[in-house]
Amino acid sequence: AIAPVTNILDAYPLHPYGLFLKSQIHQAAKEKLLYFVTRSLASPLNSELNDVATRQSVQLSEAILRLIDEIQTARSRSNQVNGDGDIPSTEDLNRLQQGLRVDLVSIALYQTDLMDHDSDEMIAAASQAEKLAMEAIATLPTGSLARSEVLRLRLEALIRMRQVDTARDILRSAKEQNVFKDTAQWRSLMIRLLIARGQELLARDELVSWYLRPLESMIRGEVVSDEI
């Protein structure tokens, strides 16, 4: 699937949109990684699958970090060249870099899926994911979709770290600041947080209410109750 992209990069190594092409390769690698993580979860006794997924996650994280550095250099060059239509705009490079920072945090969370969820190793990996999320949030503009997604991933990490009270407080703040959107991803996180806090009945009610909602309210992303 990535052969056409790699062929272009091989033929035109100085392609002005080469960074975007590299990003597409990384996206394909991320999908492949998710496939191996899912297979590993389905076959927990298959250590070979776990090793492959772990190795791929580390390699992909390192590749994304290198690409982020390349983008930073390109942004500096773009700021020095005004009105040149042959190079990406600073805004395009910013968006590309923001998306890669989101990917970096999500891959760190994938790594926790490959570990025993009751182990100190998993909690340490979740802590590292939360640290990456904090670093990313500090660089992302307020109100951006990337910042909202990284915040959600930070909450995922906190739940896995057993820091459920901290996660609850941040989620409440997100609701107050209208960062929380009642999408399937955010609702799933909220329900798992309720379960982690021992509120299974409330979690069940929230899950049932999600599936009983009219389609129009799901599309609008109406904010859920303030029970958390």
Side-chain angles (χ1 to χ4, degrees):
I2 65 173
V5 179
T6 56
N7 289 341
I8 293 174
L9 284 172
D10 290 342
Y12 305 98
L14 298 179
H15 193 290
Y17 284 84
L19 296 174
F20 293 83
L21 296 175
K22 290 180 181 180
S23 176
Q24 290 302 307
I25 293 175
H26 292 339
Q27 288 302 315
K30 184 183 174 186
E31 291 298 322
K32 182 180 178 181
L33 170 61
L34 182 57
Y35 166 77
F36 277 105
V37 170
T38 303
R39 284 192 61 191
S40 179
L41 290 173
S43 306
L45 298 181
N46 190 330
S47 59
E48 183 177 351
L49 278 175
N50 189 290
D51 291 343
V52 169
T54 299
R55 184 168 60 252
Q56 288 188 356
S57 68
V58 172
Q59 292 172 345
L60 182 55
S61 294
E62 292 173 347
I64 288 176
L65 282 170
R66 288 193 297 270
L67 184 55
I68 288 175
D69 288 340
E70 287 186 62
I71 294 170
Q72 189 62 41
T73 301
R75 285 176 56 188
S76 300
R77 187 162 55 246
S78 179
N79 288 332
Q80 297 170 6
V81 181
N82 297 318
D84 190 340
D86 293 332
I87 65 172
S89 68
T90 301
E91 290 76 14
D92 288 340
L93 292 170
N94 285 343
R95 283 191 291 270
L96 179 62
Q97 194 174 53
Q98 290 170 14
L100 289 170
R101 292 191 186 281
V102 175
D103 288 339
L104 205 57
V105 179
S106 64
I107 292 168
L109 283 174
Y110 289 167
Q111 292 174 349
T112 70
D113 289 327
L114 299 170
M115 302 170 183
D116 181 352
H117 277 210
D118 292 325
S119 68
D120 292 339
E121 181 186 28
M122 192 284 293
I123 293 176
S127 178
Q128 178 61 24
E130 197 255 347
K131 178 182 176 182
L132 286 173
M134 290 283 288
E135 292 173 352
I137 288 171
T139 68
L140 296 170
T142 301
S144 66
L145 291 176
R147 187 184 178 107
S148 175
E149 177 62 9
V150 171
L151 175 61
R152 185 183 69 81
L153 294 174
R154 183 192 175 200
L155 290 169
E156 293 277 6
L158 285 168
I159 292 173
R160 300 181 192 199
M161 293 164 59
R162 314 289 194 264
Q163 300 291 328
V164 292
D165 289 339
T166 300
R168 177 201 58 193
D169 293 343
I170 294 174
L171 184 57
R172 282 178 173 172
S173 177
K175 288 182 181 181
E176 293 171 358
Q177 298 173 24
N178 294 322
V179 175
F180 180 100
K181 300 297 181 184
D182 199 15
T183 62
Q185 291 84 358
W186 278 94
R187 176 67 74 108
S188 172
L189 182 147
M190 188 191 75
I191 289 171
R192 283 183 287 105
L193 177 56
L194 287 170
I195 293 172
R197 300 187 68 242
Q199 298 174 286
E200 288 88 355
L201 291 179
L202 184 55
R204 183 199 62 185
D205 292 344
E206 292 290 353
L207 181 62
V208 170
S209 71
W210 169 263
Y211 286 104
L212 292 179
R213 290 169 42 182
L215 178 61
E216 292 79 5
S217 65
M218 295 177 70
I219 293 173
R220 288 195 299 269
E222 293 178 351
V223 177
V224 297
S225 65
D226 294 325
E227 293 294 338
I228 260 194

